[in-house]
Amino acid sequence: MRVHDFAGVGVGPFNLGLACLSADLPDVDGVFFEQRDGFDWHPGLMIPGATIQVPFLADLVTLADPTSRFSFLNYLKQTGRLYRYYIRENFYPLRAEYNAYCQWAAAQLPAIRFGSRVERIDHQDGVYALRVLTSGAVETVLARRLVLGIGTAPHIPPALRAVAGPSVVHSADYLPAKRRLQQLDSITIVGSGQSAAEIYLDLLPEAAKHAYHLTWLTRSPRFLPMEYTKLTLEMTSPEYIRYHHALPVATRDRLGREQRNLYKGISGDLVDAIFDTLYEQGLTGPVPTTLRAGVEVTGARHDGDRYVLELRHAEQDRAFRAGTQGLVLATGYASRVPAFLEPVRDRIAWDERGRYDVSLDYAVDRVGDEIFVQNAEEHTHSLTAPDLGMGAYRNSVILRALTGREVYPVEERIAFQEFGAPALVEVAS
């Protein structure tokens, strides 16, 4: 029976990038399984005009292999849009454009099997056996190694888990619910990041037309813009990964909370666009909207045709309530351990808090070179985990581990600054 060098489970941008970078390697045999019928990246957030938050160079392959046939620029060339993109003079692709690019790449990769769900993984005779369900048929696929790219799942904070219904949607499902929400008399968005801001700006221009009051609540002390200065961007570097990975678990977790605005904030242009829209609408009278920062949701309940939110203003330490008919939870995503790993759980290394203990090379198995993760290592590798711009770097590292050689050059040092104290500290006498 055929034994693949590795099997990728889940095909989001990161495992899709791995599929691209391994496609033309004659000595590497990989197979990828995705339960969806095709590639579709955050379909519920394909808001017209929305862009991704990284430049086009942070595509699936370029930062590992600028000559790859799967580059974004080659996609533009092959689809006859390269000169239009050049004239546009904007480094940031539209979100719908990035999704179309990924679909173009996926269509060229026979190693990807869409509509295939991995239900169970066992380890036997030195290989991993994947039980795969495709169109009702079950088969067993063997692979020496695994690369888990199942992505993150929509996160609902505990205080909001008691409410449900057609008028409560996570931002991941926003667009299909938009028209339904606009029939209500009030909509409240809860969240601090880019998705919350994009949804707010999408709903704001039509608030008066549809006669709903639009509220945006954020736990952050202000509507935080994402910090995008160049020395801060050096934190998405191999040096910072090594520095952060070596810190104690408690320190890493604290930094994860403190650094959220570095990659989960709102783009400055979007913040300005929101203000400009508010200003324009305010020319003719009060705008039917409320923006309130520094507010935490402590509880929620259903009351007739409305939801009642229990709130607390952090700086004033004051509790209050707010009612709304519609609720959009732009509360982010969280990594998860899939059930299909349960049979091989004892082969995986776990940290003291029950999370993957991810090595510098992105391995989570006890051996250190069998099971790799994509975007499940924020607690060990910091803000680089979800960053599309670091996907090609991570895949270069994973391919090095899979093949035993450096297929694509793996940068070791790119930052001007130093992280941490020097190895030898001189004490003045």
Side-chain angles (χ1 to χ4, degrees):
M1 187 174 180
R2 178 179 180 181
V3 179
H4 297 276
D5 292 325
F6 72 94
V9 184
V11 180
F14 297 130
N15 256 359
L16 178 58
L18 180 62
C20 292
L21 289 169
S22 61
D24 297 330
L25 302 179
D27 59 338
V28 177
D29 174 21
V31 62
F32 296 81
F33 300 102
E34 168 55 53
Q35 64 182 353
R36 296 172 301 175
D37 292 330
F39 187 95
D40 206 7
W41 187 63
H42 295 307
L45 282 170
M46 287 296 161
I47 298 170
T51 65
I52 64 174
Q53 290 180 279
V54 291
F56 71 91
L57 286 174
D59 63 11
L60 299 170
V61 294
T62 294
L63 292 174
D65 179 13
T67 68
S68 172
R69 61 189 174 99
F70 295 105
S71 71
F72 179 72
L73 290 182
N74 191 42
Y75 158 72
L76 293 176
K77 185 66 174 179
Q78 297 301 319
T79 54
R81 298 179 52 253
L82 183 57
Y83 276 91
R84 287 183 178 178
Y85 192 83
Y86 161 70
I87 294 172
R88 178 173 173 257
E89 289 192 339
N90 191 319
F91 266 24
Y92 301 90
L94 295 167
R95 187 173 294 158
E97 183 176 37
Y98 179 81
N99 190 47
Y101 155 63
C102 290
Q103 292 172 340
W104 167 84
Q108 302 176 63
L109 296 165
I112 297 178
R113 293 175 47 179
F114 288 106
S116 296
R117 176 183 175 86
V118 175
E119 298 194 317
R120 178 186 176 95
I121 299 180
D122 292 280
H123 188 266
Q124 57 191 42
D125 301 324
V127 299
Y128 290 94
L130 292 76
R131 176 185 168 91
V132 183
L133 178 65
T134 306
S135 301
V138 176
E139 65 174 316
T140 298
V141 178
L142 303 181
R144 295 181 183 87
R145 294 182 173 95
L146 306 172
V147 183
L148 307 179
I150 62 170
T152 51
H155 172 67
I156 307 296
L160 288 160
R161 290 174 188 169
V163 294
S167 298
V168 180
V169 298
H170 190 274
S171 57
D173 303 311
Y174 163 66
L175 278 181
K178 177 181 176 180
R179 297 305 175 201
R180 184 170 70 251
L181 290 168
Q182 289 185 307
Q183 302 308 308
L184 306 174
D185 65 22
S186 51
I187 306 170
T188 297
I189 302 165
V190 178
S192 305
Q194 184 79 1
S195 296
E198 288 175 349
I199 292 169
Y200 179 81
L201 183 58
D202 192 52
L203 290 170
L204 179 61
E206 296 184 306
K209 172 185 174 183
H210 291 283
Y212 55 78
H213 189 91
L214 182 62
T215 298
W216 182 9
L217 304 174
T218 173
R219 187 171 56 178
S220 300
R222 61 186 186 280
F223 294 91
L224 285 170
M226 184 170 66
E227 187 176 345
Y228 213 68
T229 54
K230 295 175 182 178
L231 287 175
T232 296
L233 284 176
E234 286 196 336
M235 294 174 69
T236 56
S237 65
E239 297 99 307
Y240 189 78
I241 290 174
R242 291 191 294 269
Y243 164 75
H244 188 275
H245 191 273
L247 293 171
V249 171
T251 304
R252 293 196 311 237
D253 288 349
R254 175 176 58 79
L255 288 175
R257 294 187 295 271
E258 293 175 356
Q259 294 173 352
R260 296 182 72 83
N261 68 303
L262 302 184
Y263 63 108
K264 292 189 177 181
I266 309 163
S267 69
D269 289 344
L270 181 55
V271 174
D272 291 345
I274 287 171
F275 181 87
D276 290 346
T277 303
L278 289 166
Y279 180 84
E280 181 179 355
Q281 292 197 343
L283 293 176
T284 56
V287 184
T289 188
T290 299
L291 296 97
R292 204 180 299 277
V295 172
E296 179 183 6
V297 180
T298 59
R301 57 185 171 85
H302 191 260
D303 184 12
D305 66 346
R306 312 183 74 75
Y307 298 95
V308 177
L309 303 179
E310 302 288 341
L311 306 168
R312 186 183 71 86
H313 191 279
E315 293 177 359
Q316 294 181 320
D317 194 22
R318 288 176 53 188
F320 62 104
R321 293 188 179 98
T324 186
Q325 277 197 325
L327 194 54
V328 180
L329 307 180
T331 48
Y333 300 80
S335 60
R336 63 199 191 280
V337 178
F340 61 69
L341 283 181
E342 190 59 34
V344 295
R345 186 178 180 86
D346 61 340
R347 301 187 65 82
I348 297 174
W350 306 96
D351 74 6
E352 60 196 57
R353 302 190 181 183
R355 303 167 296 193
Y356 293 127
D357 189 5
V358 190
S359 74
L360 268 176
D361 290 345
Y362 304 98
V364 297
D365 62 284
R366 295 184 182 279
V367 177
D369 68 350
E370 292 183 357
I371 305 175
F372 301 85
V373 293
Q374 305 254 34
N375 192 17
E377 74 282 4
E378 187 175 327
H379 58 290
T380 56
H381 289 61
S382 77
L383 67 166
T384 62
D387 190 337
L388 290 176
M390 292 299 288
Y393 168 83
R394 178 172 49 213
N395 280 325
S396 298
V397 174
I398 291 174
L399 275 171
R400 181 177 63 184
L402 292 173
T403 63
R405 71 181 196 280
E406 195 167 86
V407 181
Y408 301 103
V410 177
E411 286 78 359
E412 297 296 334
R413 185 172 180 82
I414 64 98
F416 287 107
Q417 64 188 290
E418 303 287 340
F419 299 103
L424 297 176
V425 179
E426 294 184 2
V427 180
S429 58

